[in-house]
Amino acid sequence: MKRILKNKFLILLALSGVLMSSCSEDNTETIFDQTPTERVNAKVSELRELLLSQPNGYKAVYFTKNDERGGFTTFMQFNADGTVRQTSDFDDDSALANSSYEVRLGTTIELVFTTRNHITKGTDPTAVTEVINGFPTGLGFFGTSVFQYFSNDNGTITFRDNRNSETALMVLTPTNFSDFDTDSLEAVNALRGQIENISVPSGVLTPTNHVLEIKNDNGVERYQFSYNGTRRFSNAIGFSEVEIVELSFGIAYTEEGITISPALEVGGESYIDFLYDEATNSFISEVNGTSATILYDSAPAFINPNDIAELEELGPTGFLFRRSLGANPLTSGNHDALLNQVTVGVQAIIGAEWSVGGYQLITDFESDDCATVLVLELSNINGGGANVSYCFDRAVIADGNLFLNYQGPDGFEFLEPAVLPLINFLADPNGLEFTRQGSFTSDTRNFSNLSGTFRNLSEPSIRVYGLFFG
Amino acid sequence: MKKIYQKLSGIRVLLVVTVLMVTACENEPALEASQIDTSTPILNDLDNWLRGTFVSPFNIEIKYKWNINNTDVERFLHPPFERNVRPLAEILESVWIKPYNQLGGEDFIKTIAPREFIFTGGFNFNPGGNTITLGIAEQGARITLFNIDLLDFSSILYEEDIANDFDVQFAVTGPISTIHHEYGHILNQIKPYDPIFDIVNPNDYTSSWADRTNEEARELGYISAYASSQPSEDFVEMIAYMLIRSSAKWDALVDGIASAEARQSIRRKEQLIVEYYQENFNINFYELRELTYQALLEI
């Protein structure tokens, strides 16, 4: 028993020795001057003071998730009583409103918009809805109300969102306004003015192809550009003989144009800020002697050489343009103006109760016996109608374009002078450019029929979109 | 004796070690005041009103200021407009707290209640596409209410009176029904209901309840489609349906069911609920209904 006691004593003695030496060997090197709590408190104070340092607030550009959505701008005026005054360009409602905010420790130091205001529109699921299983389901912009403080670069404050850590960014820059209420509302109006600039032009004589064009030492690259205004998100598709390239980015409006995220990286250059050029109705970004331009053009971004070959394969298949099938922006205003001109001419000859409802173009590549024919569809306001035909030689494809040679009318000679503008459009000596456009769609109808466009190469602003019914 | 000596020796050794341990770190600085900020946060008028109306008397906190951790972080939800918080909180007080306290005793809600309410502004869409989460009760401690910014506080709608049942969620009857429903769960957690309830008409409970209309469910003896999901939901759906309707409106709803067997099942379940309130909480359920319904009319 004594032995056991002795052993216990020795063990306890050794243990106490270890305890003492463990304390004496503490690494006392100081990495930080302050305790973690002091450092957290200092960062909280730093951000809080930074937000309050601008009496006329900040401009916040917030991209919520730049692989699916664009961004929006909120003007924010922070107050010491925990309130923040805001307006934004997110939607039509730009009325100034107050809400609450807090700066606190969360994942890291966070700016939290604790009650609803303009900035929380980024998390409103009803901002973007999709029908899922027959039910209109809210998706929104995938945003947040909780922003992690990331950096302060001479007063420009960057925040991130840890849910969308790679795709979200909110950057605050001082507004330098002299009066927050007046100047912020004015700025929002300017920002929302860009919405019209980037939307499809509504004028009847404007070009209809939305194009992203890159100019650099390698030449000109053209991308078919599309913009979804609800999601503020863009896709640009480029085509070459070897590959199809798709570029995607979100857009936010600026007073001078647009800013995009992620940056457009082409040919070793990075394009972010685009300036609006009113004269050309385009957005231009110039970097190191190169440029990226988003523009509307009479010509499509590119022509797939296989399209015209497919037209030949279709053979004597009817192409139909009919007003009652609805509108598609691929039909240019100048084409509608041309058809109106034909209607006026027809009415002058056979009476005001007649009008041109549309036309068919049947192309045959083998026969000259009026197998290639324009069939004009006339309708009478009192009911009924008439089809009037004009014959062409066999259709010819050359240099990637379609060439039609007019022969003459198949009856109804007296209407020919009125129809000539349309005949001349089709029988352009420089040819017709054809593009395949997939299944037919308009503002009122969708059909599985193949659709396409014909554009006059002598008058490139005249283009028609229609479907093949064969 | 020897044993005692040995024990004493052991104690002495331990004492020595303890002293050594205490003194070994004597160079550490003395404790100072806490560096954690414990000062009162900024409180606005609404915060002060909520503290005075809910926190102090009932130990219930109504949280309307956004904390992403209070809701599912995978969902894209947003805080409510500040202006919609007090109207809904006043409804909680009038249609829930006061009637229960009047009949169950002034400490009834203080004793049995969720400790937190979370108010959020918008709809909580479920990813599957055909359902929306209206409210969540968590462990009897917290009730979360969604879409409070979309409420028309002057509108009282009942699903049996309108073409689209979902429109109830834009009327005050939507969240009030949710509160009565979730509070029913909390009462059940304190006092379990009689298991006889589960076997009144057990055959048609289904997890595919969302494929049923409320009318179809009633013909099977369940007051709503969701009531037909499982007995515990059936029990609290019955409570919610009764507490937002007048006696006449409730009778008209039940009497309008074509199936006599279904009517009988619902009446039997009604009886069990009345007994549950009387036996466990000494509350006359029909008096409670009269109070909650009158409070609803006075909103």
Side-chain angles (χ1 to χ4, degrees):
Chain A
M1 185 62 86
K2 271 186 178 176
R3 190 180 177 84
I4 294 169
L5 184 65
K6 194 176 177 184
N7 284 347
K8 274 187 181 173
F9 179 77
L10 288 172
I11 289 166
L12 286 167
L13 200 62
L15 183 64
S16 59
V18 168
L19 282 165
M20 287 196 301
S21 62
S22 66
C23 286
S24 63
E25 288 179 11
D26 272 353
N27 183 351
T28 56
E29 182 189 350
T30 304
I31 298 174
F32 296 104
D33 295 339
Q34 298 169 305
T35 64
T37 308
E38 285 173 330
R39 281 183 281 126
V40 166
N41 290 343
K43 276 285 178 190
V44 168
S45 297
E46 174 190 309
L47 179 55
R48 200 175 277 151
E49 285 163 16
L50 200 54
L51 296 174
L52 293 173
S53 69
Q54 294 295 326
N56 280 302
Y58 285 89
K59 173 187 178 180
V61 179
Y62 175 29
F63 282 91
T64 53
K65 189 173 188 301
N66 71 4
D67 58 347
E68 292 187 66
R69 299 288 187 270
F72 63 102
T73 300
T74 308
F75 293 97
M76 306 172 170
Q77 185 183 41
F78 294 91
N79 302 309
D81 65 356
T83 63
V84 56
R85 191 163 175 76
Q86 297 180 3
T87 178
S88 81
D89 71 343
F90 190 88
D91 52 26
D92 289 338
D93 174 21
S94 59
L96 286 155
N98 287 356
S99 60
S100 302
Y101 77 96
E102 287 176 17
V103 177
R104 64 190 182 204
L105 175 65
T107 311
T108 176
I109 307 304
E110 294 175 338
L111 168 61
V112 185
F113 295 98
T114 52
T115 55
R116 194 171 172 187
N117 205 329
H118 286 275
I119 191 71
T120 58
K121 289 175 181 177
T123 59
D124 180 358
T126 60
V128 178
T129 58
E130 249 179 40
V131 175
I132 300 175
N133 290 331
F135 187 80
T137 303
L139 299 175
F141 266 61
F142 309 119
T144 187
S145 306
V146 181
F147 295 90
Q148 282 77 46
Y149 179 33
F150 196 69
S151 68
N152 167 24
D153 183 11
N154 292 323
T156 297
I157 317 170
T158 301
F159 295 91
R160 290 190 180 274
D161 167 16
N162 58 10
R163 284 195 299 193
N164 298 324
S165 57
E166 300 297 320
T167 55
L169 193 68
M170 182 168 78
V171 178
L172 269 61
T173 50
T175 63
N176 297 320
F177 288 156
S178 54
D179 180 280
F180 180 80
D181 282 11
T182 308
D183 295 349
S184 64
L185 290 174
E186 208 171 280
V188 163
N189 279 338
L191 296 174
R192 290 190 62 77
Q194 303 297 351
I195 295 174
E196 194 176 334
N197 293 338
I198 201 165
S199 302
V200 176
S202 54
V204 294
L205 301 178
T206 46
T208 51
N209 291 292
H210 219 172
V211 176
L212 167 66
E213 191 173 79
I214 313 285
K215 286 182 181 170
N216 53 29
D217 292 342
N218 299 325
V220 178
E221 285 178 42
R222 283 166 67 93
Y223 297 80
Q224 185 176 305
F225 184 80
S226 64
Y227 177 61
N228 183 317
T230 306
R231 299 169 187 226
R232 299 194 174 188
F233 197 73
S234 295
N235 284 295
I237 296 172
F239 176 86
S240 75
E241 289 181 3
V242 291
E243 62 177 348
I244 293 174
V245 179
E246 184 169 355
L247 307 168
S248 300
F249 46 86
I251 282 178
Y253 308 121
T254 65
E255 286 88 341
E256 301 82 22
I258 56 172
T259 183
I260 68 171
S261 177
L264 179 60
E265 308 278 356
V266 180
E269 301 293 354
S270 180
Y271 306 94
I272 297 173
D273 294 311
F274 289 69
L275 303 180
Y276 180 65
D277 179 47
E278 194 173 353
T280 56
N281 189 30
S282 59
F283 293 86
I284 304 167
S285 179
E286 293 182 329
V287 178
N288 296 331
T290 69
S291 69
T293 306
I294 297 167
L295 68 152
Y296 281 96
D297 198 355
S298 300
F302 54 84
I303 304 273
N304 184 335
N306 297 323
D307 286 1
I308 194 77
E310 180 146 347
L311 185 64
E312 194 169 21
E313 283 174 20
L314 283 168
T317 304
F319 170 86
L320 173 67
F321 170 80
R322 187 177 286 163
R323 292 180 199 264
S324 60
L325 294 181
N328 183 306
L330 290 173
T331 295
S332 70
N334 276 356
H335 172 270
D336 290 343
L338 181 146
L339 218 56
N340 289 340
Q341 185 188 349
V342 173
T343 295
V344 169
V346 167
Q347 287 174 339
I349 298 169
I350 58 175
E353 67 272 26
W354 291 92
S355 64
V356 178
Y359 60 88
Q360 300 169 34
L361 174 67
I362 296 163
T363 47
D364 185 282
F365 296 90
E366 294 173 357
S367 168
D368 292 325
D369 190 16
C370 197
T372 295
V373 61
L374 163 69
V375 182
L376 195 68
E377 297 182 342
L378 300 179
S379 59
N380 190 298
I381 198 168
N382 300 315
N387 285 349
V388 188
S389 300
Y390 298 90
C391 301
F392 295 80
D393 295 340
R394 74 182 67 184
V396 175
I397 290 174
D399 299 330
N401 295 315
L402 177 70
F403 290 84
L404 301 176
N405 186 38
Y406 179 56
Q407 287 179 348
D410 184 14
F412 297 94
E413 291 85 353
F414 59 95
L415 285 178
E416 188 187 45
V419 186
L420 267 180
L422 182 59
I423 293 170
N424 291 336
F425 160 64
L426 298 172
D428 182 2
N430 289 316
L432 287 173
E433 174 191 86
F434 174 72
T435 64
R436 180 193 153 108
Q437 297 290 340
S439 57
F440 178 83
T441 181
S442 75
D443 58 349
T444 58
R445 307 288 179 89
N446 290 294
F447 298 122
S448 58
N449 299 54
L450 176 68
S451 66
T453 66
F454 288 102
R455 188 166 71 105
N456 187 299
L457 289 174
S458 298
E459 290 290 343
S461 68
I462 305 177
R463 185 167 72 166
V464 60
Y465 170 80
L467 61 81
F468 291 89
F469 56 81
Chain B
M1 194 64 178
K2 211 171 186 181
K3 255 187 174 177
I4 293 167
Y5 170 76
Q6 286 167 354
K7 275 188 179 173
L8 282 173
S9 294
I11 290 167
R12 278 180 191 158
V13 171
L14 282 170
L15 272 172
V16 169
V17 171
T18 307
V19 169
L20 287 171
M21 286 170 72
V22 170
T23 56
C25 300
E26 64 185 358
N27 288 335
E28 286 187 0
L31 287 175
E32 296 172 353
S34 172
Q35 294 171 336
I36 297 170
D37 182 6
T38 56
S39 58
T40 306
I42 296 171
L43 298 176
N44 59 30
D45 291 345
L46 175 61
D47 297 326
N48 287 323
W49 181 79
L50 289 171
R51 285 190 167 201
T53 310
F54 289 92
V55 178
S56 299
F58 304 114
N59 193 24
I60 293 172
E61 185 170 19
I62 292 183
K63 291 186 169 179
Y64 67 95
K65 289 185 175 173
W66 195 247
N67 182 335
I68 200 166
N69 298 312
N70 285 338
T71 53
D72 185 345
V73 293
E74 296 299 317
R75 300 287 173 93
F76 292 93
L77 303 164
H78 58 78
F81 286 123
E82 213 162 288
R83 61 175 179 268
N84 291 329
V85 173
R86 182 162 174 166
L88 185 58
E90 285 175 341
I91 288 171
L92 278 180
E93 187 187 17
S94 66
V95 304
W96 170 56
I97 293 177
K98 284 184 176 174
Y100 270 100
N101 274 0
Q102 187 174 332
L103 298 177
E106 62 179 17
D107 286 340
F108 190 86
I109 291 291
K110 188 176 183 177
T111 310
I112 308 172
R115 301 275 72 100
E116 283 183 349
F117 278 84
I118 310 293
F119 287 2
T120 68
F123 281 124
N124 184 1
F125 288 90
N126 293 320
N130 63 350
T131 56
I132 285 175
T133 300
L134 302 171
I136 297 172
E138 295 170 80
Q139 310 300 326
R142 171 195 281 177
I143 291 178
T144 305
L145 295 174
F146 299 97
N147 61 281
I148 78 161
D149 283 347
L150 299 150
L151 290 178
D152 177 353
F153 288 96
S154 64
S155 172
I156 296 174
L157 292 176
Y158 297 99
E159 49 96 346
E160 64 268 29
D161 300 334
I162 53 179
N164 184 355
D165 293 358
F166 187 73
D167 287 345
V168 171
Q169 301 312 323
F170 298 106
V172 286
T173 30
I176 293 172
S177 178
T178 304
I179 290 161
H180 286 315
H181 174 111
E182 303 297 358
Y183 191 56
H185 282 309
I186 288 167
L187 292 177
N188 289 170
Q189 287 163 4
I190 302 294
K191 297 282 185 183
Y193 62 79
D194 191 336
I196 289 173
F197 186 95
D198 294 1
I199 54 171
V200 173
N201 60 334
N203 294 336
D204 291 303
Y205 287 116
T206 174
S207 58
S208 303
W209 60 271
D211 295 336
R212 277 180 185 152
T213 65
N214 289 323
E215 289 74 17
E216 288 168 348
R218 280 196 278 276
E219 292 300 331
L220 296 169
Y222 309 101
I223 200 59
S224 70
Y226 191 45
S228 71
S229 62
Q230 53 180 297
S232 60
E233 297 299 341
D234 193 1
F235 192 89
V236 299
E237 275 288 276
M238 287 285 293
I239 292 172
Y241 262 68
M242 286 191 275
L243 289 184
I244 63 167
R245 284 168 175 79
S246 66
S247 168
K249 184 122 189 87
W250 168 253
D251 287 343
L253 180 65
V254 179
D255 294 344
I257 298 170
S259 162
E261 193 182 339
R263 286 199 304 273
Q264 195 179 359
S265 292
I266 288 176
R267 288 300 187 188
R268 173 65 182 136
K269 287 188 271 193
E270 175 184 342
Q271 184 191 355
L272 289 169
I273 286 168
V274 171
E275 288 171 9
Y276 170 79
Y277 271 77
Q278 192 63 54
E279 289 168 9
N280 291 293
F281 305 112
N282 196 26
I283 288 177
N284 181 318
F285 187 82
Y286 292 128
E287 284 182 28
L288 180 66
R289 175 171 67 181
E290 186 57 25
L291 291 176
T292 55
Y293 180 68
Q294 284 305 320
L296 175 63
L297 295 182
E298 289 164 12
I299 289 172

